[in-house]
Amino acid sequence: MFEDDYLAAIHKPAGIEVSGNKFKTIANALPQNLKASTLPDATTPQPVHRLDYATTGIVLVGKTSSCIRALNKMFEDKTIAKIYYAVAIGKMKSSGTITSEIDGKPSESDYKVIKSVPSERFGILNLVQLHPKTGRRHQLRKHLSGLGHPILGDKEYALEDLILKGKGLYLHAFSLEFRHPFTHRPIKITDELPKKFRKIFS
């Protein structure tokens, strides 16, 4: 979706790990799918953040040692703005901030309901725009579930009778916005909503 000598942004499909000890990971696929950097500190391209196995959307990749360090620091300093979209179940307040701790650590997510539609099985389905301010594991899934509005297709954090099988998780990493750590150009990358979202909210 974006590539230069320092970094790249790729689309991650559902059902594949970003990294780990499996053969089929995003990390293992990067060297064959990206152009090799021509810079002196070029290295094996490396994802600098993770998306869950079932989540779709943008993953940022560093292609040089100095860029991987710089991007890691930008994520730590929260200078990369991330927007996600999810389909959440039940009647929700139109917007809010969730600050419940995750694994004993402070965490924060802003949300805004973009559209709601009636659903025979789930009552109401909401297209929710999410802006995580911290990066805890499963943060958005846990935060929405804690509100009583789990993400559609989330088997781990669903409420008993609200499990949707076979369509995957309705959580999508939609956009990243940041200043390029080396060229200093402002960069905004967006990855359009998956077809399964568009089917619900035409």
Side-chain angles (χ1 to χ4, degrees), residues 12-192:
K12 174 193 155 334
I16 181 167
E17 301 281 5
V18 170
S19 54
N21 52 15
K22 293 199 181 91
F23 171 69
K24 192 180 162 190
T25 62
I26 295 290
N28 286 344
L30 291 172
Q32 300 88 293
N33 288 283
L34 295 178
K35 290 191 198 82
S37 170
T38 58
L39 295 164
D41 66 336
T43 186
T44 307
Q46 194 175 310
V48 290
H49 62 122
R50 300 178 77 105
L51 293 181
D52 294 342
Y53 176 77
T55 304
T56 54
I58 304 169
V59 171
L60 206 51
V61 174
K63 293 171 62 173
T64 68
S65 302
S66 51
C67 191
I68 290 168
R69 278 197 302 276
L71 291 171
N72 279 325
K73 179 135 179 48
M74 286 165 73
F75 273 109
E76 250 167 63
D77 297 344
K78 305 180 185 41
T79 54
I80 297 178
K82 297 182 276 190
I83 300 272
Y84 286 72
Y85 278 91
V87 178
I89 296 169
K91 186 157 175 49
M92 296 178 72
K93 283 201 336 216
S94 62
S95 63
T97 299
I98 311 166
T99 54
S100 48
E101 286 191 351
I102 290 176
D103 303 328
K105 294 183 179 132
S107 52
E108 189 177 334
S109 311
D110 292 340
Y111 75 89
K112 187 164 133 200
V113 175
I114 303 299
K115 194 173 181 183
S116 302
V117 295
S119 156
E120 218 167 284
R121 180 156 172 217
F122 299 106
I124 290 177
L125 291 176
N126 311 280
L127 180 63
V128 184
Q129 188 186 74
L130 296 149
H131 180 199
K133 301 284 185 65
T134 47
R136 309 285 172 224
R137 183 168 152 77
H138 294 180
Q139 175 172 317
L140 298 172
R141 296 164 65 185
K142 286 179 172 173
H143 271 172
L144 284 171
S145 178
L147 273 191
H149 301 295
I151 296 176
L152 189 63
D154 195 339
K155 294 186 183 77
E156 227 169 309
Y157 302 106
L159 307 172
E160 232 5 80
D161 52 337
L162 295 180
I163 295 177
L164 177 76
K165 293 194 173 78
K167 293 275 198 290
L169 179 71
Y170 282 72
L171 178 61
H172 178 69
F174 175 75
S175 72
L176 288 177
E177 203 167 345
F178 58 97
R179 193 166 282 282
H180 193 296
F182 294 93
T183 66
H184 307 298
R185 279 194 325 163
I187 291 179
K188 182 172 187 182
I189 301 152
T190 56
D191 186 357
E192 69 167 356

Side-chain angles (χ1 to χ4, degrees), residues 1-17:
M1 305 187 82
F2 175 89
E3 184 174 16
D4 64 11
D5 251 356
Y6 298 94
L7 58 92
I10 59 122
H11 165 79
K12 174 193 155 334
I16 181 167
E17 301 281 5

